[in-house]
C-alpha cells in the first residue's frame, strides 16, 4: 500500500477536490460582463473551449498516472508492501509490529574486512539516507571487527536511535569452548529463556533464529508458549535463484501458523548472479578471498558451471526488462511471501545505488514472468504429494 499525505485541513469526512485528487492546477475563473457584444461572446467561447481542452488533457494525463499508481498499489498490497516518501518499501518483521525496510544492509565479509572504514561509513550513510533502517551484523564477522565498525559509525552519525534497527547474531564468538555456542555461559542462559531475559533487560527488542530448521524453530516457539517466554519472530535464511526450498516451501507455513517471518541473505549468491564470475574469478571478488576458497571451489564444480550457464540466460531476461541482473535477482527475492527484508552485501556505494533500484523492478514481476523464470531455473520447490488413505 502506498502511504500518501493528506492536507493539514483534511479530517474525517473531508472531500477532496478534483484538483487535489489528480494533482493539476485549477483553471482561473473568467469574469464575464453582462453587456458583452456578439463578437466578444464568440471570442470568449473560443477561449473557454481552449481552456476546457487543456483541462481535459491535464485530467487525462493525471488519470493515467493515478491508474498506474493504483495498479502498482494493488500489486504491492498483494505482496504486503507499503511505500514511504523516500521510495523505500517497509514490511512487518514477521507478524510482529516492528517495521523494517524491505532492503537491509548486511556487513558479512565487507565491514572490518573487505572494505575500509571510510567506505563502510559512506555505504551506511547512503543506505540510511535512502530509507534503509535495518543494519545486520554478527559477533563472528571479521572476528568482531564488523560489529565494532558498525557501532563506531552509528555513534559518529548520531542518528536517532528510534529511527533504525540493528540485528546481530550470537554463536561463533571466540576461540575458547565457552566463547561459542548457545550455552548459558556464552549468552546468559539456554536459548529461549536467555533471549527472553535479554529482551526483559532492554538489551534487545525482539529475537530470531539464523539457519535453524523448521522443527527447531517450532520447538523454540512451543517452549516459549509453554513457559510464558518470548518466541522468535524471524529466521535468517539464505535465499536466491539457486537456494529456494526453505524460504518458499517451509517458512511460509511457519509464517502463517506462528508468525515467523524471513530475513534473507545472499540474494546474489555471493555475486554469482551479477555475472562477475562468467569468465573466471576476478582478483577483487569475494571468491578470490582466502577465507572464501569454498566459493571458488563451488564455482568450478559441475553444479556451479550449470548455474553459471543459467545466469547467462537470466542476464538476457534482465536486458529485456531494462534492468540489471542484480536488480532482477533482488526483486525476485522480495516478491516471496513472508520475506520481511532482504539483506544486501555491497562493497561500494555504486553497488548500493544499483541494488536500491530493485524495488522499482518488483512491479514488473508478473505471474507470467515468474513462471518464465521458474521454467528457466527448473528448480521450483514442490510439496510432496500426500499418500491417499486406503
Amino acid at each position: 500500500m502506498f502511504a500518501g499525505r493528506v492536507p493539514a485541513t483534511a479530517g474525517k469526512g473531508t472531500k477532496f477536490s478534483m484538483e487535489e485528487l489528480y494533482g493539476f492546477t485549477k483553471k482561473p475563473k473568467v469574469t464575464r460582463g453582462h453587456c458583452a457584444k456578439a463578437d466578444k461572446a464568440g471570442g470568449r467561447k473560443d477561449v473557454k473551449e481552449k481552456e476546457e481542452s487543456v483541462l481535459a488533457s491535464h485530467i487525462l494525463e493525471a488519470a493515467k498516472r493515478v491508474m498506474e499508481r493504483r495498479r502498482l498499489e494493488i500489486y504491492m498490497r498483494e505482496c504486503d508492501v507499503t511505500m514511504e516518501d523516500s521510495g523505500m518499501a517497509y514490511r512487518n518483521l514477521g507478524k510482529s509490529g516492528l517495521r523494517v525496510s524491505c532492503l537491509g544492509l548486511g556487513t558479512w565479509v565487507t565491514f572490518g574486512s573487505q572494505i575500509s572504514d571510510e567506505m563502510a561509513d559512506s555505504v551506511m550513510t547512503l543506505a540510511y539516507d535512502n530509507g534503509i533502517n535495518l543494519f545486520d551484523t554478527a559477533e563472528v564477522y571479521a572476528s568482531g571487527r564488523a560489529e565494532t565498525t558498525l557501532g563506531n559509525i552509528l555513534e559518529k552519525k548520531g542518528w536517532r536511535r528510534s529511527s533504525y534497527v540493528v540485528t546481530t547474531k550470537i554463536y561463533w564468538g571466540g576461540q575458547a569452548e565457552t566463547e561459542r555456542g548457545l550455552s548459558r555461559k556464552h549468552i546468559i542462559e539456554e536459548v529461549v529463556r536467555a533471549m527472553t531475559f535479554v529482551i526483559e533487560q532492554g538489551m534487545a527488542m525482539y529475537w530470531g533464529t539464523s539457519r535453524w530448521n523448521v522443527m527447531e524453530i517450532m520447538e523454540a516457539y512451543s517452549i516459549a508458549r509453554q513457559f510464558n517466554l518470548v518466541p522468535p519472530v524471524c529466521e535468517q535464511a539464505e535465499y536466491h535463484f539457486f537456494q529456494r526450498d526453505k524460504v518458499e516451501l517451509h517458512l511460509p507455513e511457519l509464517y502463517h501458523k506462528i508468525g515467523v517471518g524471513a530475513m534473507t541473505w545472499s540474494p546474489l549468491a555471493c555475486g554469482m548472479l551479477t555475472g562477475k564470475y562468467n569468465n573466471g574469478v576476478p582478483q577483487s571478488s569475494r571468491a578470490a578471498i582466502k577465507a572464501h576458497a569454498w566459493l571458488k571451489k563451488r564455482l568450478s564444480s559441475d553444479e556451479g558451471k550449470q548455474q553459471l550457464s543459467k545466469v547467462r540466460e537470466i542476464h538476457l531476461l534482465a536486458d529485456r526488462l531494462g534492468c540489471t541482473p542484480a536488480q532482477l535477482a533482488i526483486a525476485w527475492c522480495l516478491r516471496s511471501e513472508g520475506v520481511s527484508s532482504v539483506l544486501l552485501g555491497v562493497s561500494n556505494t555504486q553497488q548500493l545505488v544499483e541494488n536500491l533500484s530493485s524495488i522499482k523492478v518488483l512491479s514488473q514481476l508478473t505471474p507470467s514472468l515468474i513462471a518464465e523464470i521458474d521454467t528457466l531455473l527448473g528448480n521450483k520447490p514442490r510439496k510432496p504429494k500426500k499418500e491417499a488413505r486406503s
Side-chain angles (χ1 to χ4, degrees):
M1 184 185 297
F2 284 84
R5 293 184 182 275
V6 298
T9 56
K12 187 175 181 181
T14 300
K15 292 184 178 179
F16 294 94
S17 67
M18 187 178 293
E19 291 75 27
E20 291 172 327
L21 185 60
Y22 292 105
F24 59 82
T25 305
K26 189 175 181 180
K27 66 174 182 176
K29 293 183 178 180
V30 179
T31 304
R32 293 184 171 85
H34 295 288
C35 302
K37 295 182 180 179
D39 56 336
K40 290 185 178 181
R44 287 198 301 272
K45 183 178 180 180
D46 292 340
V47 172
K48 181 180 178 181
E49 289 178 349
K50 185 176 181 179
E51 288 177 345
E52 290 178 346
S53 177
V54 172
L55 183 60
S57 178
H58 287 331
I59 293 175
L60 181 60
E61 289 301 316
K64 288 180 179 178
R65 291 194 297 269
V66 170
M67 290 303 295
E68 178 62 23
R69 188 179 179 90
R70 292 273 173 81
R71 184 185 68 83
L72 183 57
E73 180 183 355
I74 292 171
Y75 183 83
M76 291 296 190
R77 188 185 298 121
E78 291 175 350
C79 296
D80 191 27
V81 179
T82 61
M83 296 287 285
E84 302 289 353
D85 292 338
S86 65
M88 178 55 64
Y90 297 86
R91 300 174 175 176
N92 286 58
L93 183 61
K95 289 190 177 180
S96 74
L98 180 62
R99 299 288 285 173
V100 295
S101 51
C102 71
L103 296 178
L105 182 64
T107 61
W108 179 43
V109 182
T110 52
F111 280 39
S113 178
Q114 189 178 22
I115 64 177
S116 66
D117 289 355
E118 292 74 20
M119 179 56 73
D121 187 306
S122 298
V123 167
M124 277 194 65
T125 302
L126 180 64
Y128 185 80
D129 288 345
N130 281 274
I132 287 180
N133 71 353
L134 174 61
F135 301 99
D136 179 75
T137 187
E139 61 173 352
V140 72
Y141 292 170
S143 300
R145 293 190 300 277
E147 278 190 327
T148 301
T149 300
L150 178 65
N152 288 339
I153 294 172
L154 290 172
E155 183 179 22
K156 173 185 174 183
K157 292 299 178 183
W159 296 326
R160 298 188 319 280
R161 185 60 186 90
S162 58
S163 67
Y164 60 86
V165 177
V166 176
T167 57
T168 190
K169 293 173 286 298
I170 188 169
Y171 189 90
W172 302 109
Q175 300 300 316
E177 280 296 310
T178 55
E179 294 176 329
R180 55 180 179 264
L182 298 176
S183 68
R184 178 172 184 165
K185 174 71 174 178
H186 189 201
I187 307 177
I188 288 172
E189 306 174 66
E190 308 309 330
V191 191
V192 181
R193 192 175 297 279
M195 293 304 182
T196 299
F197 178 84
V198 166
I199 290 172
E200 289 175 345
Q201 295 298 310
M203 302 176 190
M205 298 297 177
Y206 303 88
W207 79 278
T209 58
S210 180
R211 306 185 75 173
W212 284 27
N213 63 43
V214 174
M215 293 301 297
E216 290 170 333
I217 298 171
M218 280 299 303
E219 183 180 4
Y221 179 84
S222 298
I223 290 173
R225 287 298 181 231
Q226 182 180 355
F227 296 103
N228 196 29
L229 303 173
V230 180
V233 298
C234 72
E235 156 69 7
Q236 273 200 9
E238 182 180 2
Y239 185 47
H240 49 73
F241 284 142
F242 304 123
Q243 187 73 274
R244 304 179 59 175
D245 285 17
K246 184 175 183 177
V247 173
E248 295 185 16
L249 202 59
H250 306 302
L251 290 185
E253 186 174 0
L254 287 186
Y255 174 73
H256 290 294
K257 285 184 176 180
I258 62 176
V260 170
M263 186 184 295
T264 66
W265 48 275
S266 198
L268 303 180
C270 293
M272 180 192 295
L273 300 178
T274 65
K276 67 169 67 176
Y277 299 120
N278 285 354
N279 299 310
V281 178
Q283 289 187 349
S284 60
S285 66
R286 185 171 299 184
I289 300 175
K290 186 176 180 180
H292 285 69
W294 57 268
L295 176 57
K296 186 175 182 180
K297 184 177 180 180
R298 190 175 80 180
L299 291 169
S300 60
S301 67
D302 290 340
E303 182 183 15
K305 291 176 181 177
Q306 290 177 358
Q307 291 176 348
L308 286 173
S309 177
K310 292 182 178 181
V311 168
R312 296 182 182 93
E313 295 183 60
I314 291 170
H315 281 217
L316 296 177
L317 181 57
D319 288 341
R320 200 175 83 203
L321 294 175
C323 66
T324 68
Q327 291 167 348
L328 174 59
I330 295 169
W332 181 87
C333 292
L334 286 171
R335 111 280 175 214
S336 187
E337 180 186 29
V339 171
S340 300
S341 188
V342 175
L343 298 176
L344 306 175
V346 299
S347 56
N348 56 61
T349 53
Q350 290 79 13
Q351 288 181 2
L352 180 57
V353 169
E354 176 188 354
N355 292 353
L356 285 169
S357 295
S358 60
I359 297 174
K360 300 175 183 177
V361 181
L362 184 57
S363 62
Q364 296 179 259
L365 301 188
T366 59
S368 60
L369 183 63
I370 294 298
E372 184 178 350
I373 294 175
D374 287 339
T375 301
L376 188 158
L377 296 174
N379 62 355
K380 182 177 181 180
R382 299 185 184 280
K383 291 185 179 180
K385 293 182 178 179
K386 295 181 180 180
E387 294 182 4
R389 294 182 178 179
S390 57

